[in-house]
Structures are given as C-alpha cells and as structure tokens.
C-alpha cells in the first residue's frame, strides 16, 4: 500500500507557498500541518481523489483542502473577534434609539466596503 502522506509531504514547500498566498506568514506552517492531519484522519477515504496515480498528487485537491482550512480559520477568528453587544443591548445601555444605531452601523459598513473596493 502506498503511503499517501509521504508522497504529499514531498511537496511541503509548495504547500507552504500556497498557504502564504492566502496571506498567512507565521501560521502558514500550522495550516499545512493541519492539512496533513486532515488527510491522515481520512484513513484512505479520499485517496483516489487525492492521488492521480501511485506517485502523482492532485494539486488542485490539496489546494482546496488548504483553502477550506484557511476559511475555517478565518471564520473561527471572526467569531472570536465579534465580542461586543447586540444593537438592542447598545440601545438599552446608551439610550440611543435602536434604529439610529442600526442605520449608523449600515452607513459605516457601506463606507468601509466602498473604501475596500478602491
């Protein structure tokens, strides 16, 4: 039986480059290691998709695995960063009308999106 992880790991530098292309620097190595763990956890379930033959890796499939791990990481960080109050709680604590907070939030969000698009 071919050990898929050994074959995939031969191109470790390529996987690091892909992880860095997502904007990661210090955590790129961690993302690639998570990819290896994910492949190991599959226990051969996706070996036919991961490998074209006994020696050739499907690079696009590995890219998708890395991208999905990166997106999961982004979602987890977003949830951690979302420590704040709901608009209703802010309204109660500040005495500002709920809809005023709602409209202000939407205006700021629209302005930020416009600046990011430029």
């Amino acid at each position: 039986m071919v050990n898929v992880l050994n074959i995939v790991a031969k191109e470790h530098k390529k996987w690091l480059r892909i992880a860095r292309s997502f904007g990661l620097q210090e955590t790129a190595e961690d993302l690639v290691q998570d990819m290896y763990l994910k492949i190991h956890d599959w226990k051969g379930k996706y070996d036919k998709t991961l490998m074209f033959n006994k020696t050739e890796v499907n690079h696009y499939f590995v890219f998708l695995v890395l991208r999905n791990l990166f997106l999961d990481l982004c979602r987890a960080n977003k949830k951690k960063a979302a420590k704040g109050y709901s608009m209703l709680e802010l309204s109660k604590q500040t005495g500002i009308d709920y809809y005023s907070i709602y409209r202000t939030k939407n205006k700021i969000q629209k302005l930020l999106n416009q600046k990011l698009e430029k």
Side-chain angles (χ1 to χ4, degrees):
M1 182 176 155
V2 177
N3 189 348
V4 175
L5 271 178
N6 286 338
I7 296 170
V8 172
K10 287 179 182 176
E11 300 189 55
H12 182 75
K13 289 182 181 179
K14 181 181 285 188
W15 312 138
L16 279 175
R17 272 196 314 274
I18 291 172
R20 287 190 182 110
S21 74
F22 300 143
L24 299 176
Q25 293 304 319
E26 301 86 29
T27 57
E29 183 76 38
D30 294 338
L31 188 76
V32 173
Q33 294 300 324
D34 288 343
M35 183 257 310
Y36 292 142
L37 290 172
K38 189 171 196 82
I39 290 171
H40 177 72
D41 288 343
W42 288 337
K43 297 181 175 97
K45 183 177 179 181
Y46 296 107
D47 282 0
K48 290 183 179 177
T49 309
L50 184 61
M51 302 293 291
F52 288 124
N53 53 43
K54 292 186 179 191
T55 59
E56 193 176 356
V57 177
N58 182 346
H59 292 98
Y60 182 67
F61 187 75
V62 175
F63 168 80
L64 290 178
V65 172
L66 286 168
R67 186 194 65 170
N68 288 334
L69 287 170
F70 172 71
L71 293 174
D72 290 344
L73 182 68
C74 290
R75 281 187 215 107
N77 288 339
K78 186 177 181 182
K79 287 180 184 175
K80 288 179 187 174
K83 49 185 149 127
Y85 299 102
S86 69
M87 288 185 280
L88 184 61
E89 290 172 339
L90 284 173
S91 174
K92 287 178 182 177
Q93 289 181 1
T94 61
I96 301 171
D97 183 53
Y98 172 84
Y99 291 104
S100 178
I101 294 172
Y102 176 79
R103 286 189 299 270
T104 304
K105 179 199 80 84
N106 285 342
K107 283 181 186 177
I108 292 170
Q109 194 170 19
K110 187 176 178 181
L111 287 171
L112 288 173
N113 286 336
Q114 288 174 351
K115 293 217 181 230
L116 288 175
E117 290 174 358
K118 290 181 182 180

